[in-house]
Amino acid sequence: MGAIPTQTIEQIAAANDIVEVIGSYFPLRRAGTNFKALCPFHQEKTPSFHVNPQRQTFHCFGCGVGGTVFRFVMDYEHIDFPAAVHKLGARVGITVVEERRSGGNEDRQREIRRTLLQLHSEAAEWFHDNLLKKDIAAAARDYLKQRGIDRTVAKSWQLGYAPAGWDAFLNWALQRGYQRRELLQSGLVKLRDESKSQGDVYDRFRDRLMFPIRNDVGEVIAFSGRILEKDAEAAKYINSPETSLFRKGHVLFGLDKTKRALIDANSAIVCEGQLDLIALFEAGITNVVAPQGTAFTEQQARVLSRFVREVVLCFDADAAGKKAAERSLEALLQNDLIVRVAEIPAGEDPDSLIRKHGREEFEARIAAARDFFDYWIEGEAKVVDLSSLGQKMELARSLAGTVSHVRDPLMRGEVVRKVTARLGVPVSEFESLLPKAVRSSPESRPVARSAGVLPGHDVAMLCLLALRNEEAAQYLREQNWRETLAETANTDLLGKILESDVRPSDPASLNAFMVTLTPAEESLVSAWLMQKAPEDAAAVAEKWWLGLRQAVVRRHLAIAQSRIKGAQLSTGEIVNLQKQILDLTDQLHDLSQFSSAPPSEA
Ligand SMILES: [Zn+2]
């Protein structure tokens, strides 16, 4: 950071009204002078997410996130600060010119990313154009028709077709001016001899139906290609390899389109394939996601837990689907997600099911989906003889291993209750099977930023006043504040405020100041900015400041007084200390004359 001039940040902040920006992601409702909404960063039933148009900041009183318009875009879109600045700059037509830095590596990385994003976006268009218009895609169009996917749906998901042959894509991309090196980096072409870093290259995707894979902001970052022929020997699906854009285990297919529906439903239907997801979505069931690959990764589960509390697994009824469900479980439980399993009849998948029987029947299946543990016990009970104590305890032991992944103690208690009732074993006996230290990993919990070295009440009050009132800030800057702050605990933030030239009455200046803070500080400041400032802010600031000074003087006095009681002092030292004590007592007397602030504990 620091490479983008403060002036540019202020300009961009001034031109992007935070109410408009946030309002473009989800609806905001006016509440007095502020705007409110259900928080997109945690689950809630009543809105505690506030947007303040006067100060151009937001804050959620439920989970504590808050800050500037930049912070919102960073957190909502999971992008870094420079990317948020560029995005908001582009929104209002301001070009961001970054100052030169010593290391050009970061710039180069960003440049590569930009090129790869552009390549993916153009490639998606080209594949799409092939599918809709070219003769070579006739078979692909037939296939889609037979799967019940019409032109409108194909357009809305930007489905495409990668021609057969070895170099159709390669030639197109070279003609567009892309370098061979860039094409290799994108994974869209492969080296004929992968043991070398140079040589002949050819198209990775050939004669396949193409699904663009997007990140949750909607940028194409990879592709998944499905084979058209039924009994071909090649893999049914192939995906782009891991690239600097695409980390397979982090992406959930469809999330860019289904995010809002997930939050509204507080529940995610998880299906295996892209076609399943599209069929459900187009039938009006929109709270769906599909992991890339078959089982959930820890990262995917974590992403999902930001949007929903519950997951309904909707995998194929075959053995592979069951395996995938079981392998997904651990990651989901670790993120405190409630897991249910929908019954899919053998030989069907969500796609075929919804086409044959319609939306209502499918929704009934989702509603009837059973808790994962019930589903599992039932499945096991078919092969395990529950009347045999030995076999029952064997099953209990393997269930205990799974239960131990549930981190939330309340939820774990609930699950233990259910499992023991179903198995008919005493709770205490089952609990003795659980590993002693049941895992807890606080770092995987979303948001909740508070801890850290944050100011105490009196310092916080001064921060608030300095950020809200020109005069108060002026008064404090005129004091000998560096010296006092150096002797008071947790004053980093107040120091940053007084050192800056932040102008409290100018929201753009507030925003530009806040982007220099740590996320914890920024969320704290955003909370203060939501509060009412006292009318006579400068007078109140003076009162609190004198209180802070008093505390410092009192501490000095206590030190001098304890020292003078000590042995082995020379007469000179004693006289000096006596002078010091008199002086400090005078100072304290003066300070308390001006201030009626409550004495703060020294
Ligand atoms: Zn929140």
Side-chain angles (χ1 to χ4, degrees):
M1 211 159 68
I4 303 172
T6 308
Q7 211 189 345
T8 312
I9 293 171
E10 270 191 34
Q11 277 172 0
I12 293 173
N16 278 284
D17 179 53
I18 195 169
V19 176
E20 268 177 40
V21 171
I22 298 183
S24 72
Y25 291 99
F26 48 82
L28 290 170
R29 209 168 323 145
R30 189 172 257 295
T33 54
N34 287 341
F35 288 83
K36 273 192 189 180
L38 288 174
C39 178
F41 303 113
H42 83 281
Q43 291 307 318
E44 61 177 4
K45 294 244 156 57
T46 52
S48 34
F49 180 88
H50 293 241
V51 182
N52 183 316
Q54 278 89 42
R55 282 174 281 287
Q56 291 289 307
T57 54
F58 75 98
H59 187 82
C60 172
F61 291 97
C63 65
V65 276
T68 65
V69 68
F70 303 106
R71 167 67 51 196
F72 177 83
V73 172
M74 285 162 74
D75 283 2
Y76 196 87
E77 305 213 347
H78 309 295
I79 56 180
D80 63 6
F81 177 71
V85 175
H86 279 276
K87 191 173 170 106
L88 288 169
R91 187 176 174 269
V92 293
I94 297 176
T95 315
V96 179
V97 183
E98 293 180 32
E99 284 162 357
R100 279 273 134 238
R101 271 174 273 227
S102 45
N105 192 35
E106 222 173 296
D107 288 344
R108 205 155 46 242
Q109 288 299 323
R110 206 166 300 144
E111 191 54 46
I112 291 170
R113 189 184 154 81
R114 207 172 5 241
T115 308
L116 286 182
L117 279 175
Q118 194 185 337
L119 169 61
H120 276 84
S121 155
E122 291 181 9
E125 268 171 48
W126 184 69
F127 290 136
H128 184 55
D129 208 54
N130 287 341
L131 177 71
L132 294 189
K133 298 182 188 148
K134 303 280 168 60
D135 291 341
I136 44 165
R141 285 194 292 271
D142 285 346
Y143 173 79
L144 282 182
K145 201 178 290 164
Q146 159 215 326
R147 294 287 303 238
I149 290 178
D150 63 20
R151 211 177 162 82
T152 324
V153 177
K155 275 187 177 164
S156 123
W157 294 85
Q158 211 184 15
L159 304 187
Y161 174 69
W166 297 96
D167 53 11
F169 171 78
L170 176 67
N171 290 333
W172 168 83
L174 290 173
Q175 249 168 36
R176 300 227 20 132
Y178 288 102
Q179 310 289 313
R180 200 169 284 257
R181 177 177 42 86
E182 293 162 348
L183 297 176
L184 270 173
Q185 277 171 342
S186 77
L188 292 171
V189 304
K190 283 167 87 167
L191 278 169
R192 200 161 294 277
D193 181 353
E194 292 206 290
S195 65
K196 295 185 185 139
S197 62
Q198 298 249 320
D200 277 358
V201 295
Y202 65 97
D203 294 355
R204 177 180 300 269
F205 297 99
R206 299 175 309 280
D207 192 19
R208 281 180 183 256
L209 187 62
M210 299 295 282
F211 297 85
I213 297 172
R214 296 167 191 275
N215 59 19
D216 64 343
V217 202
E219 294 165 323
V220 180
I221 52 171
F223 289 91
S224 181
R226 192 193 193 286
I227 204 153
L228 295 174
E229 297 149 69
K230 260 218 163 87
D231 309 301
E233 275 173 32
K236 196 162 142 193
Y237 281 97
I238 54 175
N239 289 322
S240 293
E242 302 255 322
T243 66
S244 60
L245 289 184
F246 178 51
R247 284 192 291 164
K248 200 172 159 199
H250 290 233
V251 181
L252 287 163
F253 181 79
L255 189 61
D256 59 309
K257 276 190 167 34
T258 65
K259 209 156 35 175
R260 199 61 222 167
L262 293 175
I263 294 169
D264 292 343
N266 201 5
S267 171
I269 297 169
V270 177
C271 50
E272 268 173 286
Q274 285 99 348
L275 280 170
D276 287 330
L277 185 140
I278 292 173
L280 292 181
F281 190 89
E282 295 301 329
I285 297 172
T286 52
N287 55 323
V288 247
V289 288
Q292 298 295 322
T294 42
F296 254 88
T297 67
E298 166 66 18
Q299 287 89 348
Q300 286 169 330
R302 196 180 305 172
V303 168
L304 205 51
S305 72
R306 293 202 196 115
F307 300 100
V308 298
R309 174 109 177 84
E310 178 199 79
V311 165
V312 183
L313 298 178
C314 215
F315 291 167
D316 293 359
D318 58 17
K322 193 162 176 285
K323 267 264 141 21
E326 280 166 20
R327 274 188 291 132
S328 301
L329 189 70
E330 190 172 318
L332 294 168
L333 291 179
Q334 270 174 18
N335 282 281
D336 294 341
L337 288 157
I338 296 165
V339 185
R340 296 194 293 138
V341 183
E343 202 83 53
I344 304 287
E348 304 279 357
D349 54 34
D351 177 29
S352 65
L353 209 58
I354 200 151
R355 283 183 204 292
K356 274 188 217 155
H357 306 289
R359 174 177 169 173
E360 267 169 40
E361 159 129 16
F362 190 83
E363 277 174 335
R365 273 180 197 282
I366 295 297
R370 278 168 316 154
D371 180 272
F372 184 88
F373 289 97
D374 287 342
Y375 157 87
W376 198 15
I377 294 170
E378 203 152 297
E380 292 295 322
K382 284 180 194 150
V383 278
V384 173
D385 177 11
L386 286 184
S387 63
S388 142
L389 187 64
Q391 287 196 32
K392 194 157 81 175
M393 288 321 281
E394 195 55 42
L395 176 58
R397 198 162 291 123
S398 86
L399 278 170
T402 306
V403 170
S404 68
H405 293 302
V406 182
R407 286 183 321 138
D408 179 42
L410 277 178
M411 197 174 139
R412 196 167 55 235
E414 181 67 15
V415 170
V416 167
R417 199 184 51 71
K418 219 182 296 179
V419 168
T420 50
R422 187 75 184 70
L423 283 180
V425 297
V427 172
S428 57
E429 208 163 311
F430 186 78
E431 275 177 338
S432 71
L433 295 171
L434 291 172
K436 278 206 189 65
V438 188
R439 268 185 70 182
S440 71
S441 48
E443 76 278 6
S444 65
R445 277 221 74 80
V447 240
R449 304 169 174 137
S450 54
V453 197
L454 294 173
H457 180 63
D458 42 2
V459 177
M461 194 64 196
L462 288 167
C463 291
L464 184 149
L465 291 163
L467 281 171
R468 297 295 304 280
N469 183 281
E470 218 67 72
E471 269 179 87
Q474 188 59 29
Y475 166 79
L476 290 171
R477 288 195 180 110
E478 282 162 4
Q479 307 307 308
N480 202 355
W481 58 267
R482 281 197 173 81
E483 191 186 287
T484 305
L485 296 195
E487 298 194 40
T488 311
N490 304 335
T491 55
D492 278 7
L493 182 52
L494 184 54
K496 284 183 192 173
I497 296 170
L498 296 181
E499 206 148 50
S500 76
D501 51 7
V502 54
R503 303 179 300 284
S505 53
D506 177 1
S509 159
L510 273 177
N511 272 251
F513 168 67
M514 285 165 76
V515 303
T516 65
L517 303 176
T518 67
E521 289 171 336
E522 188 177 351
S523 109
L524 195 62
V525 166
S526 69
W528 293 335
L529 292 179
M530 290 291 163
Q531 289 169 25
K532 262 206 163 81
E535 301 259 328
D536 48 348
V540 179
E542 184 174 355
K543 213 171 82 177
W544 284 97
W545 178 255
L546 294 176
L548 213 63
R549 289 279 316 143
Q550 273 185 38
V552 171
V553 173
R554 210 175 277 130
R555 201 155 46 236
H556 283 222
L557 190 58
I559 293 167
Q561 280 167 338
S562 86
R563 244 202 246 148
I564 207 166
K565 284 184 201 134
Q568 293 161 343
L569 289 174
S570 71
T571 322
E573 281 169 329
I574 293 176
V575 172
N576 257 338
L577 280 168
Q578 278 170 337
K579 247 194 236 158
Q580 235 183 64
I581 289 170
L582 265 180
D583 185 40
L584 289 167
T585 315
D586 274 354
Q587 279 188 39
L588 202 57
H589 181 73
D590 287 350
L591 283 169
S592 50
Q593 279 207 316
F594 292 111
S595 127
S596 48
S600 57
E601 56 279 52

